[in-house]
Amino acid sequence: MDKNKHLDSVISTHKITKEEVLFDKYVKKKNEVKEALEENYGSNIYSPFNSGSYAKNTAINTKFDFDLVSPFKRNAFGSNGTLKEMYEDVHDFLYEKYKNVAEVKKQKVSIGLEFYADSDGHVIKIDVVPGRELSQDQYKEDENLNLYVYYKYGNIDAGSERIKTNVKAQINNIKDRATAEKDSIRKIIRLLKVWKNTKYNYPTKSFFLELITIKAFDSKSITGSIWDKLETVLEYIRDNVTKDSFTLKDPGNSSNDLGDTLTSTEKQQLSDDIKNMLERIEDNDENLKTYFPENSKFKKEDTNNNQYGKNSGMPIPPPKLNFG
């Protein structure tokens, strides 16, 4: 099997642009939630913004949501208001507003909105991440925010107020790189998300996989084909994530160690899973398809494009229109 050809197809069939209708619904719902927050909190909130995989251009179409960071002013919940009070207030507002049309749930640092399936069977998920500036009006200068940890997050205890970050710096951590490196990093992150999506309720968050991919690129010379690059990143994760000296600094705040978002047991599980995967792929290339499957919904479309598109030197036939 040509591993590179397969991985190229995995990336292509998982492009978010292939789900245009669903994506448009996400944008519309995100804007609706953003406007609801702005209307409710008025001058106490800065403009909420999307911070997740779409903003970083690392989204895949089989599982994606929008992370809507909501930056609050320092005194939004009173001069002595706590981060917990901020978090609870935002949850209560969203619950009252959307309880009849969505499941509203408290998550590690966000409030999850999972809207009930529409007539097309589409389920929209928006994660609202409330954050508070460090001092009154300081956000306009440094864009730093403090987050609240609702329940235990790896080694970070529930109730912790020690997550200070700069979400826009996290976005720029990929965006500001040279074009070729940026493209490679994004492709590997997408592939790792496809792999993660094959596992039910896997403890390793996408942001962790994103940062450790970037760290691998910063730590090693990663060149060659798409498979060469993926294999090198996987080997880096396997060999380093369980080390006592391993850290994963948050680009938004170097004092944050994202390595703490996984327990020692979870890090060992990640290392073991990747070790097993690499061994199975070495035994038989075909096993790559198990860990990095194409999106079957768009596989036929890509095959047809490859067969009749401009790369084949043949003209593209007119589309067949089917009605009813």
Side-chain angles (χ1 to χ4, degrees):
M1 187 186 78
D2 186 331
K3 294 197 286 288
N4 294 306
K5 184 177 180 181
H6 174 74
L7 292 175
D8 282 338
S9 180
V10 174
I11 293 168
S12 177
T13 58
H14 281 87
K15 283 182 178 177
I16 195 171
T17 51
K18 291 185 180 292
E19 287 283 11
E20 185 177 359
V21 172
L22 178 58
F23 178 72
D24 287 346
K25 290 179 182 180
Y26 264 85
V27 172
K28 184 177 180 181
K29 188 63 70 176
K30 181 264 295 182
N31 289 338
E32 176 194 316
V33 175
K34 175 181 181 291
E35 290 167 7
L37 288 164
E38 290 175 324
E39 180 180 348
N40 185 68
Y41 290 105
S43 61
N44 284 319
I45 191 173
Y46 297 102
S47 181
F49 61 94
N50 182 46
S51 68
S53 56
Y54 173 65
K56 299 167 186 171
N57 197 14
T58 59
I60 59 173
N61 58 25
T62 45
K63 185 177 182 182
F64 65 92
D65 52 32
F66 274 14
D67 295 327
L68 190 62
V69 175
S70 303
F72 286 95
K73 293 189 175 181
R74 178 61 181 82
N75 298 331
F77 304 92
S79 56
N80 295 317
T82 65
L83 291 176
K84 181 179 181 181
E85 288 171 338
M86 170 195 71
Y87 182 92
E88 296 287 354
D89 194 279
V90 175
H91 168 268
D92 292 348
F93 163 68
L94 293 172
Y95 178 78
E96 287 302 319
K97 184 165 184 65
Y98 293 111
K99 62 184 178 183
N100 294 324
V101 295
E103 180 183 357
V104 183
K105 54 186 177 181
K106 296 178 179 179
Q107 301 174 152
K108 289 184 171 71
V109 295
S110 65
I111 293 100
L113 299 173
E114 185 170 323
F115 291 89
Y116 302 139
D118 63 13
S119 57
D120 297 320
H122 289 154
V123 175
I124 309 298
K125 298 178 183 179
I126 308 289
D127 288 342
V128 176
V129 184
R132 191 184 67 187
E133 64 183 356
L134 278 59
S135 299
Q136 190 70 8
D137 299 325
Q138 187 178 340
Y139 177 76
K140 290 180 286 188
E141 299 175 11
D142 60 19
E143 298 181 323
N144 289 327
L145 294 170
N146 277 324
L147 309 182
Y148 178 72
V149 179
Y150 174 66
Y151 64 83
K152 191 171 176 64
Y153 193 7
N155 293 322
I156 304 174
D157 291 331
S160 172
E161 298 191 355
R162 70 182 178 91
I163 296 186
K164 182 184 84 172
T165 192
N166 186 313
V167 179
K168 291 189 177 179
Q170 294 173 355
I171 296 171
N172 292 335
N173 192 35
I174 298 176
K175 215 170 172 182
D176 291 344
R177 292 172 181 263
T179 302
E181 183 183 48
K182 178 167 54 182
D183 183 60
S184 294
I185 289 172
R186 284 172 170 163
K187 285 181 177 179
I188 300 304
I189 291 170
R190 289 190 200 110
L191 288 170
L192 290 178
K193 286 183 177 182
V194 170
W195 167 72
K196 177 181 180 291
N197 203 29
T198 65
K199 298 176 158 305
Y200 177 72
N201 205 23
Y202 203 61
T204 307
K205 295 295 184 183
S206 294
F207 187 43
F208 186 100
L209 294 175
E210 172 189 316
L211 289 185
I212 200 168
T213 297
I214 294 171
K215 184 164 186 175
F217 272 82
D218 289 341
S219 302
K220 302 175 72 68
S221 175
I222 299 182
T223 59
S225 67
I226 187 64
W227 165 247
D228 292 333
K229 293 172 182 175
L230 175 62
E231 184 179 32
T232 303
V233 170
L234 290 172
E235 290 170 346
Y236 177 84
I237 299 172
R238 178 198 64 193
D239 297 340
N240 289 277
V241 72
T242 58
K243 290 181 178 178
D244 292 337
S245 59
F246 176 78
T247 59
L248 201 55
K249 298 300 183 183
D250 179 354
N253 176 13
S254 59
S255 297
N256 285 347
D257 181 5
L258 271 297
D260 285 342
T261 61
L262 289 182
T263 64
S264 297
T265 301
E266 289 167 343
K267 289 176 185 175
Q268 188 63 59
Q269 178 186 351
L270 176 60
S271 178
D272 290 344
D273 285 346
I274 289 178
K275 177 177 181 290
N276 179 61
M277 170 170 51
L278 287 169
E279 289 175 351
R280 289 199 63 203
I281 293 171
E282 185 177 357
D283 289 342
N284 186 344
D285 287 351
E286 290 292 325
N287 287 328
L288 187 71
K289 296 178 180 178
T290 301
Y291 297 105
F292 300 95
E294 296 162 294
N295 185 345
S296 57
K297 182 177 179 180
F298 300 109
K299 183 178 177 182
K300 184 177 180 181
E301 171 190 314
D302 270 28
T303 301
N304 288 340
N305 286 341
N306 187 55
Q307 183 178 355
Y308 297 112
K310 61 183 179 181
N311 290 336
S312 66
M314 297 175 63
I316 300 174
K320 293 181 179 179
L321 301 178
N322 298 310
F323 300 92

